[in-house]
Amino acid sequence: MVAYNYVFVGLLLLTAIGFALAPLALVALIAPRKRSLAKGDTYECGVKTHGETWVRFRIQYYIYAIMFVVFDVETVFLYPWAVAYGGLGTFALVEMVVFLALLSAGLAYAWAKGVLRWV
Amino acid sequence: MDVGSALYGTPLFAQSHRVDLTVSTCVIWGLWLIVGFAGLFPGIVAYMVWLERKVAARFQDRIGPNRVGPFGLLQSVADGLKLLVKENIVPRSADQVVHLLAPVLVLVSAFLTLAVVPFAVGLVPIDPPSGLVYLIAVSSISPLGIFLAGWSSHNKYSLLGAMRAVAQLVSYEIPQVLSTIPVVLWAGSLSLVSIFDHQVAYGWNALNPPGFLAFLTFLIASVAEVNRTPFDLPEAESEIVAGYHTEYSGMRFGLFFLAEYLGVFSVSCVATVLFLGGGTPLPFSAFPVNLLDGSVGSYLLVDGILLAVFSLKVLLFVFAMFWVRATLPRMRIDRLMNFAWKYLVPLCILNIVFAAIWYEVVVRPGALTARNWAWGMIAAGLPVVLGVQLVFRANRKLAAARAVDADWPTVGTIAEASR
Amino acid sequence: MGEVVVARILFLAIAALGLLAALGTVLSRNLVHAALHLVGFFFCVACLFVMLEAEFLAAVQVLIYIGAVAILLMFGIMLTRNTRGDDATSLSGPWRLPGLVAGLCLFGALVFGINNAVSPSGASPWAGEAARPSLVEREGEPAWAAERRRAVEDMGRVVGEEFLTRYAMAFELAGLLLTAALVGAVALAHRDEVGAAELPPTVEALPADSAEPVGTAAS
């Protein structure tokens, strides 16, 4: 029967989930369970929690996330290029330098605008 | 040593994503899952914790765990038992389902990365043709788990820690991924087995200038990816209690702990395979892989040598991480982000071009010769040195222009820049 | 034909899970839960890619969508005031019908487009089992079958080769698009230097309602 490598990945996924859940299940069976009001409180250094927890975060996090997505997509382009490079030659290198230059220009713009500075 | 005969490869699974699901494959997979992933790897990780405590103790002139068993060797067992009998406390205001899901997600990600690591010839769970992309992909799941842990806890410290952690992880993932591009370029394949084969034929990847730069970048980014000192801001206990796992206790915390050390183990394995030639003991020799003659005896001998050397190299990386932890203080968050985006990313982008130069000079001719190698050292080495100089100088210049950006005492540099 | 039956069952199971996840995305009141359902859906898509013998695309799917876009979504949610989903996150009444019509139109367009896809090299399209090349070499098969088998076996390489030869223009345009996205995001989201300098530099997050800082940065 012909199957795929990724059958193993599926099995490994199940194993990993099982490996994570089995001790949790065991804990549920044997560990003590005594609920109390104080125990269920949010732990913020013993001080009563104050104000809203799920607050709005600064835009900076979002900009970093955007840059991450852009560069992550870039790497997805780079991998096939790197694999195929040996069979192609100089034209491939020129193309990739152009591609990298474009991306670097984006990075330089972000840098010049000062968004790479964490405040 | 030409490329054609360099396919020492794996006798069990040729590089293909199809396999014959025969009885032997099923048995081997079963062995991997039960003995390897559910037994051996967590065991190794448990003893890494013991080792870290011993090593850290020695660095601090203490003895470390020595009560449970000889040399404290049973300490990990005791810790595991302790985690099992501890109460699982989930805050009332937490999102119950997501709170459970988060550690599972992080642990699953750590487990899945190990599926494509070739430990020795034929000793690899699977070898898909795009193994490296698979590896990067599954390891990129863990930031999501960490975010969910922080978010679901409904705790300010958790959320702050998680946001920081994710910002750090995604920033360092880029240099980590970019620094593997040269390796792929030289091997001409995304399969980790092919990358190993390439190093058998052309020497370890870390031993040429672009490879060395990529190796350093990969190491730094990997230490940041597994949240270890000096990049342990996500769980900076002096600022945000314990970061994203503040509200985790007992076994659920144990899962995070296990995932972290599993991550340390797997990045050490990956660094060994990608840059240090896997288990080969000598950098420019096919020994011991050239001893393979198809007999079971030679196979066992070769794999024995490879596994022993592989373990030594991994141990070296792990020890280096312990050493760094015992030595360096935590970084400041703005410096941390600066270092990823202003130093590592530009360096990695430049390094891709340098790697192409090395490919043209040394790999393209088809076989490794001393002459080509020497030319490559010059042709690729000079650009690497200049590139590093350029990036550091540019940063220094730009930072000196605004004192608030400076990452070091700027007394001299400001005066220099204003002149 | 055991494999085909197993494959069908797997496909149906994954498709059903994907549908459930998609429904969860739409129906969840909590934005983070909705995003999580979406992640589950992305994962189902990755599984479908594996079943289509496109393991490279599956890995890319996980890398980009689960590893990156999901993080972007989560950070996007943390930017909004409404992270719990208590207030009305769903569409208001008058917008429901147009939304439904638009969704159905998109669905129809996709179904039509996918079923009438023309493969670029002039060979018969992948849809339909009869035209699918076998992974095992057959006698007298057309040339494109061998080419496609190579694409299936080593997708990363073939994608790279196509990028750099036939689709070179598209490749560079993609680079330009990425740069434009980056520049656009920076230009939109970045406040001017003057405004930024006036903010207290140590406040990492401010609560939505009170002016009191909850956490301070490491600096």
Short mmCIF file of all heavy atoms in Angstrom, two decimals, chain A residues 1 3-5 8 19 24 31-32 34 37 39-44 49-50 54 64 68 79 85-86 111 117, chain B residues 16-17 19 21 42 85-87 91-93 126 151 154-156 170 180 185 247 341 359-360 364 395 402 405:
data_model
loop_
_atom_site.label_atom_id
_atom_site.label_comp_id
_atom_site.label_asym_id
_atom_site.label_seq_id
_atom_site.Cartn_x
_atom_site.Cartn_y
_atom_site.Cartn_z
N MET A 1 0.85 -1.19 0.00
CA MET A 1 0.00 0.00 0.00
C MET A 1 0.88 1.24 0.00
O MET A 1 1.80 1.36 0.79
CB MET A 1 -0.89 -0.04 1.26
CG MET A 1 -1.86 1.08 1.34
SD MET A 1 -2.99 0.80 2.72
CE MET A 1 -3.77 2.38 2.84
N ALA A 3 1.64 5.03 0.69
CA ALA A 3 1.15 6.10 1.55
C ALA A 3 2.14 7.25 1.47
O ALA A 3 3.11 7.19 0.73
CB ALA A 3 1.00 5.62 2.98
N TYR A 4 1.91 8.26 2.24
CA TYR A 4 2.77 9.42 2.19
C TYR A 4 3.49 9.61 3.51
O TYR A 4 3.04 9.20 4.56
CB TYR A 4 1.96 10.66 1.85
CG TYR A 4 1.37 10.56 0.48
CD1 TYR A 4 0.09 10.10 0.29
CD2 TYR A 4 2.15 10.86 -0.62
CE1 TYR A 4 -0.42 9.95 -0.97
CE2 TYR A 4 1.65 10.72 -1.89
CZ TYR A 4 0.37 10.26 -2.06
OH TYR A 4 -0.13 10.11 -3.30
N ASN A 5 4.66 10.25 3.41
CA ASN A 5 5.41 10.63 4.59
C ASN A 5 4.55 11.29 5.63
O ASN A 5 4.76 11.11 6.82
CB ASN A 5 6.47 11.66 4.17
CG ASN A 5 7.79 11.01 3.93
OD1 ASN A 5 8.05 9.96 4.49
ND2 ASN A 5 8.61 11.63 3.13
N PHE A 8 2.98 9.81 8.68
CA PHE A 8 3.76 9.78 9.92
C PHE A 8 3.56 11.07 10.71
O PHE A 8 3.42 11.04 11.93
CB PHE A 8 5.24 9.59 9.61
CG PHE A 8 6.11 9.54 10.83
CD1 PHE A 8 6.24 8.36 11.55
CD2 PHE A 8 6.79 10.66 11.27
CE1 PHE A 8 7.03 8.31 12.68
CE2 PHE A 8 7.57 10.61 12.41
CZ PHE A 8 7.69 9.44 13.12
N PHE A 19 0.52 12.67 24.29
CA PHE A 19 1.59 12.84 25.27
C PHE A 19 1.32 14.06 26.14
O PHE A 19 1.70 14.09 27.31
CB PHE A 19 2.93 13.03 24.55
CG PHE A 19 4.10 12.96 25.46
CD1 PHE A 19 4.64 11.74 25.80
CD2 PHE A 19 4.63 14.11 25.98
CE1 PHE A 19 5.72 11.68 26.66
CE2 PHE A 19 5.71 14.05 26.84
CZ PHE A 19 6.26 12.83 27.18
N LEU A 24 -2.08 15.27 31.92
CA LEU A 24 -3.14 16.15 32.43
C LEU A 24 -4.31 15.32 32.95
O LEU A 24 -4.90 15.63 33.99
CB LEU A 24 -3.60 17.11 31.33
CG LEU A 24 -2.59 18.16 30.88
CD1 LEU A 24 -3.20 19.08 29.84
CD2 LEU A 24 -2.11 18.98 32.07
N ALA A 31 -4.36 14.17 41.49
CA ALA A 31 -3.95 15.37 42.22
C ALA A 31 -5.11 15.88 43.07
O ALA A 31 -6.28 15.65 42.75
CB ALA A 31 -3.51 16.44 41.23
N PRO A 32 -4.79 16.55 44.16
CA PRO A 32 -5.86 17.11 45.00
C PRO A 32 -6.60 18.21 44.26
O PRO A 32 -6.05 18.86 43.38
CB PRO A 32 -5.09 17.68 46.19
CG PRO A 32 -3.72 17.93 45.68
CD PRO A 32 -3.46 16.87 44.67
N LYS A 34 -8.92 21.22 45.51
CA LYS A 34 -9.65 22.00 46.51
C LYS A 34 -9.80 23.40 45.97
O LYS A 34 -8.86 24.18 45.95
CB LYS A 34 -8.89 22.00 47.83
CG LYS A 34 -9.06 20.71 48.59
CD LYS A 34 -8.47 20.86 49.98
CE LYS A 34 -8.44 19.50 50.66
NZ LYS A 34 -7.17 19.27 51.36
N LEU A 37 -12.01 30.48 46.82
CA LEU A 37 -12.22 31.75 46.15
C LEU A 37 -10.88 32.44 45.87
O LEU A 37 -10.63 32.95 44.78
CB LEU A 37 -13.11 32.63 47.02
CG LEU A 37 -14.03 33.56 46.25
CD1 LEU A 37 -14.89 32.78 45.29
CD2 LEU A 37 -14.87 34.37 47.21
N LYS A 39 -7.94 31.09 45.65
CA LYS A 39 -7.08 30.36 44.72
C LYS A 39 -7.43 30.67 43.27
O LYS A 39 -6.56 30.69 42.41
CB LYS A 39 -7.23 28.87 44.99
CG LYS A 39 -5.93 28.11 44.90
CD LYS A 39 -6.18 26.64 45.03
CE LYS A 39 -5.93 26.15 46.43
NZ LYS A 39 -6.22 24.72 46.55
N GLY A 40 -8.71 30.89 43.04
CA GLY A 40 -9.13 31.13 41.67
C GLY A 40 -8.93 32.57 41.21
O GLY A 40 -9.22 32.91 40.07
N ASP A 41 -8.41 33.38 42.12
CA ASP A 41 -8.20 34.78 41.75
C ASP A 41 -7.07 34.90 40.74
O ASP A 41 -6.20 34.04 40.66
CB ASP A 41 -7.83 35.58 42.99
CG ASP A 41 -9.05 36.24 43.59
OD1 ASP A 41 -10.10 36.23 42.90
OD2 ASP A 41 -8.97 36.73 44.72
N THR A 42 -7.10 36.02 40.02
CA THR A 42 -6.00 36.32 39.11
C THR A 42 -4.78 36.68 39.94
O THR A 42 -4.89 37.46 40.89
CB THR A 42 -6.39 37.49 38.22
OG1 THR A 42 -7.56 37.12 37.50
CG2 THR A 42 -5.29 37.82 37.24
N TYR A 43 -3.63 36.11 39.60
CA TYR A 43 -2.44 36.39 40.40
C TYR A 43 -1.70 37.59 39.83
O TYR A 43 -1.07 37.51 38.79
CB TYR A 43 -1.49 35.19 40.43
CG TYR A 43 -0.23 35.52 41.18
CD1 TYR A 43 -0.26 35.64 42.56
CD2 TYR A 43 0.96 35.77 40.53
CE1 TYR A 43 0.86 35.98 43.28
CE2 TYR A 43 2.10 36.13 41.23
CZ TYR A 43 2.04 36.23 42.60
OH TYR A 43 3.16 36.58 43.29
N GLU A 44 -1.85 38.71 40.52
CA GLU A 44 -1.04 39.86 40.11
C GLU A 44 -0.27 40.36 41.31
O GLU A 44 -0.56 41.42 41.87
CB GLU A 44 -1.93 40.92 39.46
CG GLU A 44 -2.25 40.52 38.01
CD GLU A 44 -3.29 41.41 37.34
OE1 GLU A 44 -3.68 42.42 37.91
OE2 GLU A 44 -3.70 41.04 36.23
N THR A 49 -6.63 42.63 41.28
CA THR A 49 -6.52 43.09 39.90
C THR A 49 -7.38 44.33 39.70
O THR A 49 -8.47 44.45 40.26
CB THR A 49 -6.88 41.97 38.93
OG1 THR A 49 -6.77 42.49 37.62
CG2 THR A 49 -8.27 41.44 39.15
N HIS A 50 -6.87 45.24 38.92
CA HIS A 50 -7.48 46.56 38.83
C HIS A 50 -7.65 46.93 37.37
O HIS A 50 -6.70 46.84 36.59
CB HIS A 50 -6.57 47.57 39.54
CG HIS A 50 -7.03 48.98 39.39
ND1 HIS A 50 -8.06 49.48 40.12
CD2 HIS A 50 -6.60 49.98 38.59
CE1 HIS A 50 -8.26 50.74 39.79
NE2 HIS A 50 -7.38 51.07 38.85
N TRP A 54 -7.81 42.90 29.21
CA TRP A 54 -7.67 42.82 27.75
C TRP A 54 -7.73 44.23 27.17
O TRP A 54 -8.74 44.68 26.66
CB TRP A 54 -8.74 41.91 27.18
CG TRP A 54 -8.44 40.47 27.47
CD1 TRP A 54 -7.21 39.93 27.65
CD2 TRP A 54 -9.37 39.39 27.62
NE1 TRP A 54 -7.32 38.59 27.90
CE2 TRP A 54 -8.62 38.23 27.88
CE3 TRP A 54 -10.75 39.31 27.56
CZ2 TRP A 54 -9.22 36.99 28.09
CZ3 TRP A 54 -11.36 38.08 27.76
CH2 TRP A 54 -10.58 36.94 28.02
N TYR A 64 5.24 45.47 13.70
CA TYR A 64 6.21 44.38 13.70
C TYR A 64 5.59 43.11 13.11
O TYR A 64 6.25 42.38 12.36
CB TYR A 64 6.73 44.11 15.11
CG TYR A 64 7.88 44.99 15.49
CD1 TYR A 64 7.69 46.11 16.28
CD2 TYR A 64 9.15 44.72 15.02
CE1 TYR A 64 8.74 46.94 16.61
CE2 TYR A 64 10.22 45.54 15.35
CZ TYR A 64 10.01 46.64 16.14
OH TYR A 64 11.05 47.46 16.45
N PHE A 68 6.81 41.11 9.88
CA PHE A 68 7.07 39.68 9.97
C PHE A 68 6.36 38.92 8.84
O PHE A 68 6.97 38.07 8.18
CB PHE A 68 6.60 39.17 11.33
CG PHE A 68 6.50 37.69 11.44
CD1 PHE A 68 7.64 36.91 11.29
CD2 PHE A 68 5.30 37.06 11.70
CE1 PHE A 68 7.56 35.54 11.38
CE2 PHE A 68 5.22 35.69 11.80
CZ PHE A 68 6.35 34.93 11.64
N TYR A 79 13.06 30.20 -0.68
CA TYR A 79 13.38 28.77 -0.61
C TYR A 79 13.38 28.11 -1.99
O TYR A 79 14.36 27.47 -2.37
CB TYR A 79 12.44 28.05 0.35
CG TYR A 79 12.92 28.04 1.78
CD1 TYR A 79 12.09 28.46 2.81
CD2 TYR A 79 14.19 27.62 2.11
CE1 TYR A 79 12.53 28.46 4.11
CE2 TYR A 79 14.63 27.62 3.41
CZ TYR A 79 13.80 28.03 4.42
OH TYR A 79 14.24 28.04 5.70
N TYR A 85 18.40 27.27 -7.78
CA TYR A 85 19.48 28.13 -8.23
C TYR A 85 20.57 27.36 -8.99
O TYR A 85 21.03 27.80 -10.05
CB TYR A 85 20.11 28.87 -7.04
CG TYR A 85 21.27 29.74 -7.44
CD1 TYR A 85 21.06 30.91 -8.13
CD2 TYR A 85 22.57 29.36 -7.15
CE1 TYR A 85 22.11 31.70 -8.52
CE2 TYR A 85 23.64 30.15 -7.54
CZ TYR A 85 23.41 31.31 -8.23
OH TYR A 85 24.46 32.07 -8.63
N GLY A 86 20.97 26.21 -8.46
CA GLY A 86 22.04 25.45 -9.08
C GLY A 86 21.78 25.13 -10.54
O GLY A 86 22.70 25.10 -11.35
N TRP A 111 12.86 51.62 8.55
CA TRP A 111 13.97 52.07 9.41
C TRP A 111 14.01 53.60 9.44
O TRP A 111 14.07 54.23 10.50
CB TRP A 111 15.27 51.50 8.85
CG TRP A 111 16.43 51.55 9.75
CD1 TRP A 111 16.65 52.41 10.79
CD2 TRP A 111 17.56 50.67 9.70
NE1 TRP A 111 17.84 52.12 11.38
CE2 TRP A 111 18.43 51.07 10.74
CE3 TRP A 111 17.94 49.61 8.88
CZ2 TRP A 111 19.64 50.43 10.96
CZ3 TRP A 111 19.14 48.99 9.11
CH2 TRP A 111 19.98 49.38 10.14
N ARG A 117 12.23 51.46 15.87
CA ARG A 117 12.69 51.82 17.21
C ARG A 117 11.60 51.47 18.22
O ARG A 117 10.47 51.94 18.15
CB ARG A 117 13.01 53.30 17.26
CG ARG A 117 13.94 53.65 18.40
CD ARG A 117 14.33 55.10 18.37
NE ARG A 117 13.16 55.96 18.53
CZ ARG A 117 12.76 56.82 17.62
NH1 ARG A 117 13.40 56.93 16.50
NH2 ARG A 117 11.71 57.57 17.83
N SER B 16 11.58 11.22 -0.95
CA SER B 16 10.33 11.24 -1.69
C SER B 16 9.23 11.33 -0.66
O SER B 16 9.44 10.92 0.47
CB SER B 16 10.18 9.96 -2.49
OG SER B 16 8.81 9.73 -2.76
N HIS B 17 8.12 11.87 -1.05
CA HIS B 17 7.10 11.90 -0.01
C HIS B 17 6.15 10.71 -0.12
O HIS B 17 5.18 10.61 0.59
CB HIS B 17 6.37 13.23 0.07
CG HIS B 17 5.54 13.56 -1.12
ND1 HIS B 17 4.36 14.21 -1.03
CD2 HIS B 17 5.74 13.33 -2.42
CE1 HIS B 17 3.86 14.36 -2.24
NE2 HIS B 17 4.67 13.86 -3.08
N VAL B 19 5.91 6.65 0.47
CA VAL B 19 6.59 5.51 1.08
C VAL B 19 5.70 4.30 0.90
O VAL B 19 4.49 4.41 0.78
CB VAL B 19 6.85 5.72 2.58
CG1 VAL B 19 7.95 6.71 2.80
CG2 VAL B 19 5.60 6.16 3.29
N LEU B 21 3.91 1.49 2.47
CA LEU B 21 3.46 1.24 3.84
C LEU B 21 3.49 -0.27 4.11
O LEU B 21 2.48 -0.90 4.35
CB LEU B 21 2.06 1.80 4.04
CG LEU B 21 1.71 2.19 5.47
CD1 LEU B 21 2.66 3.23 6.01
CD2 LEU B 21 0.30 2.72 5.53
N PRO B 42 11.62 12.85 25.45
CA PRO B 42 11.30 13.45 26.76
C PRO B 42 12.31 13.07 27.83
O PRO B 42 12.64 13.90 28.69
CB PRO B 42 9.92 12.88 27.07
CG PRO B 42 9.35 12.54 25.76
CD PRO B 42 10.49 12.09 24.91
N VAL B 85 1.39 15.30 41.08
CA VAL B 85 0.49 15.35 42.24
C VAL B 85 0.16 16.77 42.65
O VAL B 85 -0.41 16.99 43.70
CB VAL B 85 1.08 14.58 43.44
CG1 VAL B 85 1.15 13.10 43.11
CG2 VAL B 85 2.44 15.11 43.81
N LYS B 86 0.56 17.73 41.83
CA LYS B 86 0.21 19.11 42.17
C LYS B 86 -1.17 19.46 41.63
O LYS B 86 -1.57 19.00 40.58
CB LYS B 86 1.24 20.08 41.58
CG LYS B 86 2.48 20.16 42.41
CD LYS B 86 3.20 21.44 42.14
CE LYS B 86 3.51 22.15 43.42
NZ LYS B 86 4.06 23.48 43.20
N GLU B 87 -1.83 20.31 42.38
CA GLU B 87 -3.17 20.71 41.95
C GLU B 87 -3.08 21.60 40.72
O GLU B 87 -2.16 22.41 40.59
CB GLU B 87 -3.87 21.48 43.06
CG GLU B 87 -5.30 21.82 42.71
CD GLU B 87 -6.02 22.56 43.82
OE1 GLU B 87 -5.44 22.67 44.91
OE2 GLU B 87 -7.15 23.00 43.58
N PRO B 91 -7.35 30.02 36.90
CA PRO B 91 -8.08 31.16 37.44
C PRO B 91 -9.53 31.18 36.98
O PRO B 91 -9.83 30.73 35.87
CB PRO B 91 -7.33 32.37 36.89
CG PRO B 91 -6.07 31.87 36.34
CD PRO B 91 -6.21 30.44 36.08
N ARG B 92 -10.39 31.70 37.84
CA ARG B 92 -11.82 31.75 37.51
C ARG B 92 -12.07 32.52 36.23
O ARG B 92 -12.89 32.14 35.41
CB ARG B 92 -12.58 32.45 38.64
CG ARG B 92 -13.25 31.55 39.62
CD ARG B 92 -14.22 32.36 40.49
NE ARG B 92 -13.67 33.64 40.89
CZ ARG B 92 -12.84 33.81 41.92
NH1 ARG B 92 -12.45 32.75 42.61
NH2 ARG B 92 -12.39 34.99 42.25
N SER B 93 -11.34 33.62 36.08
CA SER B 93 -11.66 34.50 34.95
C SER B 93 -11.00 34.05 33.65
O SER B 93 -11.15 34.68 32.63
CB SER B 93 -11.21 35.92 35.29
OG SER B 93 -9.87 35.88 35.72
N ILE B 126 11.18 10.75 9.00
CA ILE B 126 10.73 10.91 7.62
C ILE B 126 11.65 11.91 6.93
O ILE B 126 12.26 12.75 7.59
CB ILE B 126 9.27 11.41 7.50
CG1 ILE B 126 9.09 12.68 8.31
CG2 ILE B 126 8.29 10.34 7.87
CD1 ILE B 126 7.82 13.41 7.99
N TRP B 151 -3.15 35.30 26.56
CA TRP B 151 -4.46 35.91 26.41
C TRP B 151 -5.50 35.21 27.28
O TRP B 151 -6.32 35.85 27.93
CB TRP B 151 -4.88 35.84 24.93
CG TRP B 151 -6.23 36.40 24.70
CD1 TRP B 151 -6.54 37.71 24.53
CD2 TRP B 151 -7.46 35.67 24.63
NE1 TRP B 151 -7.90 37.85 24.37
CE2 TRP B 151 -8.47 36.62 24.42
CE3 TRP B 151 -7.79 34.33 24.73
CZ2 TRP B 151 -9.80 36.25 24.31
CZ3 TRP B 151 -9.11 33.96 24.63
CH2 TRP B 151 -10.11 34.91 24.42
N HIS B 154 -6.13 35.83 31.28
CA HIS B 154 -6.82 37.00 31.78
C HIS B 154 -6.03 37.63 32.93
O HIS B 154 -6.56 37.85 34.03
CB HIS B 154 -8.24 36.66 32.22
CG HIS B 154 -9.15 37.84 32.14
ND1 HIS B 154 -9.30 38.71 33.18
CD2 HIS B 154 -9.92 38.31 31.15
CE1 HIS B 154 -10.14 39.67 32.82
NE2 HIS B 154 -10.52 39.44 31.60
N ASN B 155 -4.78 37.87 32.67
CA ASN B 155 -3.89 38.42 33.68
C ASN B 155 -2.99 39.41 32.96
O ASN B 155 -2.52 39.13 31.86
CB ASN B 155 -3.09 37.25 34.27
CG ASN B 155 -2.05 37.70 35.26
OD1 ASN B 155 -1.37 38.71 35.09
ND2 ASN B 155 -1.90 36.92 36.31
N LYS B 156 -2.78 40.56 33.57
CA LYS B 156 -2.04 41.60 32.85
C LYS B 156 -0.61 41.18 32.56
O LYS B 156 -0.08 41.42 31.48
CB LYS B 156 -2.05 42.89 33.65
CG LYS B 156 -3.44 43.47 33.82
CD LYS B 156 -3.37 44.84 34.45
CE LYS B 156 -4.75 45.33 34.82
NZ LYS B 156 -5.22 44.74 36.10
N VAL B 170 8.59 36.42 16.63
CA VAL B 170 8.42 36.64 15.20
C VAL B 170 9.59 37.44 14.65
O VAL B 170 10.02 37.22 13.52
CB VAL B 170 7.07 37.31 14.86
CG1 VAL B 170 5.92 36.46 15.31
CG2 VAL B 170 6.96 38.69 15.42
N THR B 180 19.08 30.01 7.00
CA THR B 180 19.13 28.66 6.46
C THR B 180 19.15 28.66 4.93
O THR B 180 19.40 27.62 4.32
CB THR B 180 17.92 27.82 6.91
OG1 THR B 180 16.73 28.44 6.44
CG2 THR B 180 17.86 27.69 8.40
N LEU B 185 20.75 26.64 -0.57
CA LEU B 185 21.35 27.01 -1.85
C LEU B 185 22.47 26.05 -2.23
O LEU B 185 22.55 25.57 -3.35
CB LEU B 185 21.87 28.44 -1.72
CG LEU B 185 22.50 29.08 -2.93
CD1 LEU B 185 21.43 29.35 -3.95
CD2 LEU B 185 23.18 30.37 -2.54
N GLU B 247 -0.08 32.25 35.05
CA GLU B 247 -1.27 31.59 35.59
C GLU B 247 -1.25 30.09 35.36
O GLU B 247 -2.28 29.44 35.43
CB GLU B 247 -2.53 32.20 34.97
CG GLU B 247 -2.81 33.63 35.40
CD GLU B 247 -3.22 33.76 36.86
OE1 GLU B 247 -3.16 32.75 37.58
OE2 GLU B 247 -3.59 34.87 37.26
N TRP B 341 16.23 43.36 13.84
CA TRP B 341 15.81 44.00 12.60
C TRP B 341 16.91 44.84 11.96
O TRP B 341 16.93 45.01 10.75
CB TRP B 341 14.56 44.87 12.80
CG TRP B 341 13.35 44.04 13.01
CD1 TRP B 341 12.73 43.78 14.19
CD2 TRP B 341 12.62 43.32 12.02
NE1 TRP B 341 11.66 42.96 14.00
CE2 TRP B 341 11.56 42.66 12.68
CE3 TRP B 341 12.75 43.16 10.63
CZ2 TRP B 341 10.66 41.87 12.01
CZ3 TRP B 341 11.83 42.38 9.97
CH2 TRP B 341 10.80 41.74 10.67
N TYR B 359 28.80 29.48 -3.85
CA TYR B 359 28.27 28.40 -4.69
C TYR B 359 28.96 28.41 -6.04
O TYR B 359 29.40 27.37 -6.53
CB TYR B 359 26.76 28.56 -4.86
CG TYR B 359 26.14 27.45 -5.66
CD1 TYR B 359 25.64 26.32 -5.03
CD2 TYR B 359 26.07 27.51 -7.05
CE1 TYR B 359 25.10 25.29 -5.74
CE2 TYR B 359 25.53 26.48 -7.78
CZ TYR B 359 25.04 25.37 -7.12
OH TYR B 359 24.52 24.33 -7.84
N GLU B 360 29.06 29.60 -6.64
CA GLU B 360 29.65 29.68 -7.98
C GLU B 360 31.11 29.23 -7.96
O GLU B 360 31.57 28.55 -8.87
CB GLU B 360 29.58 31.13 -8.51
CG GLU B 360 28.17 31.62 -8.81
CD GLU B 360 27.49 30.81 -9.89
OE1 GLU B 360 28.18 30.17 -10.70
OE2 GLU B 360 26.23 30.79 -9.92
N ARG B 364 29.73 24.86 -7.69
CA ARG B 364 29.36 24.71 -9.10
C ARG B 364 30.32 23.81 -9.89
O ARG B 364 29.88 23.00 -10.70
CB ARG B 364 29.26 26.10 -9.75
CG ARG B 364 28.98 26.09 -11.24
CD ARG B 364 27.52 26.03 -11.60
NE ARG B 364 26.85 27.30 -11.37
CZ ARG B 364 25.52 27.44 -11.44
NH1 ARG B 364 24.76 26.40 -11.68
NH2 ARG B 364 24.96 28.60 -11.24
N ASN B 395 24.93 51.06 11.45
CA ASN B 395 24.12 51.15 12.66
C ASN B 395 24.71 52.15 13.63
O ASN B 395 24.00 52.93 14.25
CB ASN B 395 24.04 49.77 13.31
CG ASN B 395 22.80 49.04 12.88
OD1 ASN B 395 21.70 49.53 13.13
ND2 ASN B 395 22.94 47.92 12.23
N ARG B 402 21.17 60.05 16.76
CA ARG B 402 20.15 60.33 17.77
C ARG B 402 20.54 59.58 19.04
O ARG B 402 20.53 58.37 19.06
CB ARG B 402 18.79 59.82 17.32
CG ARG B 402 18.11 60.63 16.24
CD ARG B 402 16.87 59.89 15.80
NE ARG B 402 16.10 59.52 16.98
CZ ARG B 402 14.96 60.12 17.31
NH1 ARG B 402 14.48 61.07 16.58
NH2 ARG B 402 14.31 59.74 18.37
N ASP B 405 18.61 56.56 20.32
CA ASP B 405 18.69 55.26 19.67
C ASP B 405 19.89 54.44 20.10
O ASP B 405 19.99 53.27 19.77
CB ASP B 405 18.82 55.44 18.15
CG ASP B 405 17.55 55.97 17.55
OD1 ASP B 405 16.54 55.96 18.28
OD2 ASP B 405 17.56 56.38 16.40
#
